[in-house]
Amino acid sequence: MPRVTIDDVAELAGVSIKTVSRVANGERNVRPSTRERVEQAIAQLNYRANFSARNLARQHSHLIVLVYEDPSRYETPSADYVIRMQNGALRACRQQRYELLIHPCIHGTANLRRELNDLVGRVRPTGIVIAAPLSSMADVVDAIAETRTPLVCLSPGVETPGRPTVATNDREICAEMTRYLASLGHRQIAFVSGNPDHTAVSNRLPGYLDGLRQSDLKYAARLVVAGDNSVQSGEVAAESLLALARPPTAIFAANDDMAAGVLRVALRRGLRIPDDLSVAGFDDSALASHVFPALTTIRQPLARIAEQAVRVLIGTGEVTGSVADTSIVPSSLVIRDSTGPAPS
């Protein structure tokens, strides 16, 4: 049978080719009665739009690319982080009849710039979403910007003048978590900071400090220990903190993996959670609800952040060069069994 064309659909529906195109592309400026007539004609003729020809004419594909750092390079890969971003980006793409291409890469490799340029040249995407921590790395962002492809940075932790950004309220929500622990009577609240190379988490320590001030608690350098986002670093930090002459009664870690490491050490030492020690994390990864006791944490809306980024790309379609607004998708506290009143 001959291939059904857009002309056939237009003739059957009694509308112009342009109107059929608008309906096929999900555009909203079509009257409901006209849209229904066109959709009926499409279904009756089993019409499939020739996206390849359309994309070639437009010099780009109906495609969004999600670029993120390959989690398999770490000893404790957090696949949950990637999966939640993918799900959010995919949901927004499907709603607008776009496709999503995921592209893991490794920062620091000699050919990364060429790799990203080749990627854009091959697939000609409508836009690129750059996930943290790559979104804070100038060489990665600049390599993509050189291709003149519209981009959105996710939670870069640094200012990105002229480039759209979607992030969450890390500093404010970490202050809220610290205030929550203080409201339980804790006066010795420790903090395990994240990998210093990941500026996406850079606002979490200032948030903890804000929370201390807002709770009339003094900052103590001995209660802040650096981690690297891994479970192992959380264990090392906990060993150091719990060996203090005056150990903390609550430990707030900058991510759930490190908080899980704190739990492991506390249980090995025979501490009861939360009777002897309260523990809190950040992310609300799958791990948070699977450890024992279930972890009090901060729910980072990764799926919504990625979804919003795709909507920004599809909605604007171009980089204007002006200072772009930052879209904030707020996080929230999730209170579970690992926190409780401070021991008397």
Side-chain angles (χ1 to χ4, degrees):
M1 294 181 62
R3 180 183 176 87
V4 176
T5 68
I6 193 171
D7 301 81
D8 299 325
V9 176
E11 183 179 354
L12 180 60
V15 298
S16 68
I17 295 174
K18 189 173 184 179
T19 300
V20 176
S21 178
R22 286 174 177 168
V23 173
N25 289 325
E27 296 181 19
R28 298 180 180 179
N29 56 337
V30 180
R31 284 183 297 182
S33 59
T34 303
R35 181 183 300 279
E36 183 179 0
R37 197 160 69 249
V38 172
E39 288 176 345
Q40 289 176 349
I42 289 173
Q44 182 177 335
L45 296 174
N46 195 26
Y47 170 68
R48 295 292 181 270
N50 188 349
F51 287 106
S52 297
R54 183 185 67 188
N55 293 336
L56 183 60
R58 292 183 176 182
Q59 295 298 301
H60 66 72
S61 62
H62 224 55
L63 183 71
I64 299 294
V65 177
L66 173 63
V67 174
Y68 59 92
E69 190 164 31
D70 188 350
S72 65
R73 66 179 300 197
Y74 302 106
E75 293 182 5
T76 55
S78 183
D80 181 69
Y81 172 79
V82 174
I83 290 172
R84 286 195 288 164
M85 280 195 304
Q86 289 178 2
N87 287 342
L90 185 59
R91 180 164 56 245
C93 284
R94 284 179 170 170
Q95 289 172 351
Q96 299 297 325
R97 300 189 182 185
Y98 276 66
E99 295 297 329
L100 178 69
L101 174 67
I102 60 173
H103 186 81
C105 58
I106 299 176
H107 178 256
T109 54
N111 64 342
L112 180 58
R113 183 177 292 268
R114 184 190 310 165
E115 174 187 335
L116 294 172
N117 274 272
D118 289 347
L119 170 69
V120 172
R122 287 196 314 272
V123 304
R124 295 176 178 175
T126 299
I128 296 179
V129 177
I130 311 174
L134 297 180
S135 57
S136 64
M137 299 175 180
D139 54 341
V140 174
V141 178
D142 290 346
I144 293 173
E146 283 176 1
T147 68
R148 299 183 180 276
T149 303
L151 60 88
V152 174
C153 295
L154 298 188
S155 301
V158 294
E159 292 186 4
T160 56
R163 291 178 183 139
T165 297
V166 181
T168 188
N169 56 335
D170 280 13
R171 182 164 182 165
E172 292 78 9
I173 198 66
C174 285
E176 184 176 342
M177 176 63 83
T178 305
R179 292 197 307 271
Y180 164 71
L181 294 172
S183 74
L184 295 174
H186 295 282
R187 293 296 175 263
Q188 297 289 308
I189 303 172
F191 187 78
V192 183
S193 60
N195 190 327
D197 293 334
H198 290 201
T199 55
V201 301
S202 61
N203 283 322
R204 297 178 189 176
L205 175 57
Y208 158 77
L209 298 177
D210 290 346
L212 291 180
R213 285 191 295 270
Q214 293 160 4
S215 304
D216 294 325
L217 297 178
K218 292 183 179 180
Y219 162 72
R222 65 187 180 86
L223 293 179
V224 177
V225 180
D228 66 7
N229 297 345
S230 69
V231 174
Q232 289 80 1
S233 72
E235 292 186 70
V236 172
E239 291 285 5
S240 172
L241 290 167
L242 296 176
L244 292 171
R246 191 181 177 194
T249 61
I251 300 178
F252 175 18
N255 78 348
D256 290 343
D257 285 359
M258 293 190 295
V262 172
L263 285 176
R264 289 173 66 173
V265 169
L267 294 174
R268 281 204 303 263
R269 285 173 166 261
L271 297 176
R272 297 168 300 166
I273 307 294
D275 295 342
D276 301 320
L277 178 71
S278 287
V279 181
F282 192 112
D283 284 334
D284 196 26
S285 62
L287 176 69
S289 57
H290 293 160
V291 295
F292 178 81
L295 186 64
T296 289
T297 186
I298 291 169
R299 178 170 294 156
Q300 185 175 202
L302 289 171
R304 288 175 53 207
I305 290 172
E307 183 176 359
Q308 173 67 7
V310 171
R311 290 174 191 250
V312 168
L313 284 172
I314 294 175
T316 60
E318 61 180 351
V319 176
T320 63
S322 60
V323 177
D325 291 335
T326 297
S327 299
I328 298 296
V329 183
S331 295
S332 57
L333 299 192
V334 179
I335 308 303
R336 296 196 178 100
D337 301 330
S338 67
T339 52
S344 57

